[in-house]
Amino acid sequence: MTAAADDAALARGARLFARPVAFVTGALSEETLPAGTLPEVAFAGRSNVGKSSLINALVGQRQLARVSNTPGRTQEINFFDLGGRLMLVDLPGYGFARAPKQKAELWSEFIRRYLKGRPALRRALVLIDSRHGLKPLDEDIMTLMDESAVNYQIVLTKADKITPAELARRRDETAAAAAAHTAAHPTVLSTSAVAATGLAELRAALSELARPE
Ligand code: GDP
């Protein structure tokens, strides 16, 4: 992006996220999904990746998405209406073994069907901890999205936990891995909910998907 385009996009992102946000519903089954009347962007990531913190930081509210809810406990999809222009969709964290003897879990059928059959879904964000990079389970989720024809973009989280040089390397390495996936966006974003970095860029990217002003 050129600097000028950047400024305009950042301003659009800031305007979108200055709008009020409201919890719509938590859906546990296909019957309880809200009507897909707004473009949707879904947040995905392994438990503890910093998903709730990122959603809260983006909208500037501390407690919108529940931080550190017992991972893997529910398979609920939470919907938040952002100013009547974009639906933020909080998917359950994956990768948590419910019982010690069970293997790591992916998602329930319900979540898979949501991803596959949701015309309103414009993009999924796959959140990856900057320190850890892509793990096999993340690759599985990306493959699932490739197969479901869900466009997705990787967003590194907790960028404050590593040095800028390490972060740059992680971005390059992650972008190279994403290039092998058909439905992955080529740009890898990086964010920190704690240091509030990368949020303006992510807001700008999401404003491109929202209902026009
Ligand atoms: P979730 O399970 O993916 O929703 O993750 P949470 O948002 O609950 O965060 C998991 C843990 O990581 C919490 O202890 C957060 O305080 C911490 N955390 C989340 N985002 C950041 C970040 O950007 N930087 C740092 N240093 N810690 C973070």
Side-chain angles (χ1 to χ4, degrees), residues 100-113:
K101 283 195 178 140
Q102 276 179 322
K103 290 210 302 203
E105 283 180 27
L106 281 173
W107 276 322
S108 67
E109 257 315 294
F110 165 51
I111 314 294
R112 290 160 182 255
R113 281 201 300 270

Side-chain angles (χ1 to χ4, degrees), residues 45-56 65-69 71 90 93 127 129 131 157-161 191-196:
R46 64 172 54 235
S47 301
N48 216 40
V49 72
K51 181 163 54 66
S52 313
S53 301
L54 181 61
I55 294 172
N56 291 336
R66 273 169 298 153
V67 174
S68 294
N69 46 1
D90 187 7
L127 275 43
D129 192 314
R131 293 168 299 177
T157 60
K158 308 188 189 181
D160 59 285
K161 293 266 201 184
T191 58
S192 164
V194 166

Side-chain angles (χ1 to χ4, degrees), residues 75-140:
Q75 288 277 303
E76 192 171 56
I77 306 182
N78 288 308
F79 292 81
F80 303 95
D81 180 331
L82 179 58
R85 292 189 49 212
L86 185 67
M87 193 74 87
L88 306 178
V89 181
D90 187 7
L91 297 174
Y94 54 78
F96 178 80
R98 242 169 252 215
K101 283 195 178 140
Q102 276 179 322
K103 290 210 302 203
E105 283 180 27
L106 281 173
W107 276 322
S108 67
E109 257 315 294
F110 165 51
I111 314 294
R112 290 160 182 255
R113 281 201 300 270
Y114 165 79
L115 289 173
K116 255 199 169 122
R118 188 73 172 174
L121 180 58
R122 297 291 309 279
R123 187 176 297 172
L125 301 177
V126 177
L127 275 43
I128 302 293
D129 192 314
S130 296
R131 293 168 299 177
H132 309 317
L134 289 176
K135 296 288 181 199
L137 206 53
D138 302 311
E139 296 263 10
D140 290 348

